Amino acid sequence: MSWGAERAARGVVERDFAIEADSGRVPGVFWSPEGTDALRGLVMLGHGGGADKRAPYLLAVARWLVRNHGIGAFAIDGPGHGERIAPGAEVDFEAAWGSPDATDSVIADWRSALDFVRGSAGDAPLGYWGLSMGTMMGLPLVAALEEVRVALLGLMGLWGPNADRLAADAPRLKCPVRFLVQWDDEIVPRDRALELFTCIGSEHKTLHGNPGLHVAVPPGEMRDSTVFLARRLGS
């Protein structure tokens, strides 16, 4: 486990890292406020299918959290994505999620990354943000980590390779959840997404629906999701 390159711009420090998990080498990136080690919160960011830890929308969310709320954030490459495939190779989504233990393996990756980042971030209140495959990874993770205080999920339903696991884990969620649905989603059927929202066991959960296709979440909705996390993390 090690830290890599560090960059700073407009008040945000970005540091690469890599951990060795049971699944192999897992690359990640950590964002924090420049000039201080005191974080008001820490958010795990899960990318979508075909993307990676530096997807433009994740960079935007991370920077909003750091600059506007003093909250740190980190992301890792999901299985079969980013630096976890050979340079130039195409993402094979089905292969990445094809094994029966894929979800448990992802949870183990996140746990290892969290333990590593905690060495620098301390015990700041913990949240999760992840859409699409970020919910495939994140919902079971939030169910497994009782310390998660708040989660932003969505663009996913009882659909896809780990649909049964999502159905089993969703009732176990206890933290406040905001769930995003794109009403005209051409990838995840709307009724499957609404079924997943219904299964979530959190007492405090809200559904935010917007017109448009899978990747057309309004920018204002994305920005407001960071305010939702910040309020629940106490910043």
Side-chain angles (χ1 to χ4, degrees):
M1 299 185 182
S2 61
W3 291 105
E6 179 176 315
R7 298 160 292 276
R10 297 179 57 197
V12 180
V13 177
E14 179 181 290
R15 285 184 284 175
D16 296 327
F17 67 86
I19 61 169
E20 292 297 331
D22 290 342
S23 62
R25 181 178 180 273
V26 180
V29 59
F30 173 50
W31 298 271
S32 61
E34 189 174 14
T36 179
D37 292 327
L39 298 180
R40 296 175 179 173
L42 178 65
V43 175
M44 301 177 285
L45 302 177
H47 67 76
D52 60 35
K53 62 186 179 298
R54 294 186 187 279
Y57 65 91
L58 281 194
L59 291 174
V61 169
R63 291 164 181 166
W64 285 331
L65 287 168
V66 172
R67 290 176 182 148
N68 298 327
H69 306 291
I71 292 174
F74 73 96
I76 61 173
D77 283 330
H81 287 69
E83 296 180 58
R84 298 177 72 173
I85 56 177
E90 295 185 1
V91 172
D92 189 338
F93 184 83
E94 294 298 331
W97 288 90
S99 67
D101 62 348
T103 300
D104 288 326
S105 179
V106 167
I107 292 174
D109 291 345
W110 277 105
R111 284 184 181 274
S112 296
L114 176 61
D115 289 343
F116 179 73
V117 171
R118 282 287 197 205
S120 292
D123 293 327
L126 186 64
Y128 183 86
W129 190 107
L131 298 174
S132 195
M133 194 181 89
T135 288
M136 287 177 59
M137 296 189 291
L139 189 152
L141 174 67
V142 173
L145 294 177
E146 293 185 0
E147 65 179 301
V148 176
R149 294 190 183 185
V150 59
L152 185 287
L153 304 170
L155 306 192
M156 183 48 58
L158 297 184
W159 171 92
N162 71 339
D164 290 344
R165 180 62 180 268
L166 295 177
D169 283 351
R172 298 171 51 206
L173 267 59
K174 302 302 178 186
C175 69
V177 172
R178 178 176 291 188
F179 194 90
L180 306 188
V181 175
Q182 286 299 101
W183 221 243
D184 308 297
D185 197 320
E186 79 285 15
I187 297 176
V188 179
R190 184 200 308 164
D191 58 343
R192 298 279 88 93
L194 297 178
E195 286 177 359
L196 178 56
F197 175 76
T198 301
C199 289
I200 291 173
S202 302
E203 181 179 353
H204 301 287
K205 62 179 182 178
T206 56
L207 178 71
H208 283 219
N210 291 282
L213 300 178
H214 188 73
V215 299
V217 180
E221 185 76 75
M222 299 288 275
R223 285 193 296 272
D224 193 51
S225 71
T226 66
V227 177
F228 166 71
L229 292 174
R231 287 174 176 166
R232 293 293 185 172
L233 292 175
S235 69

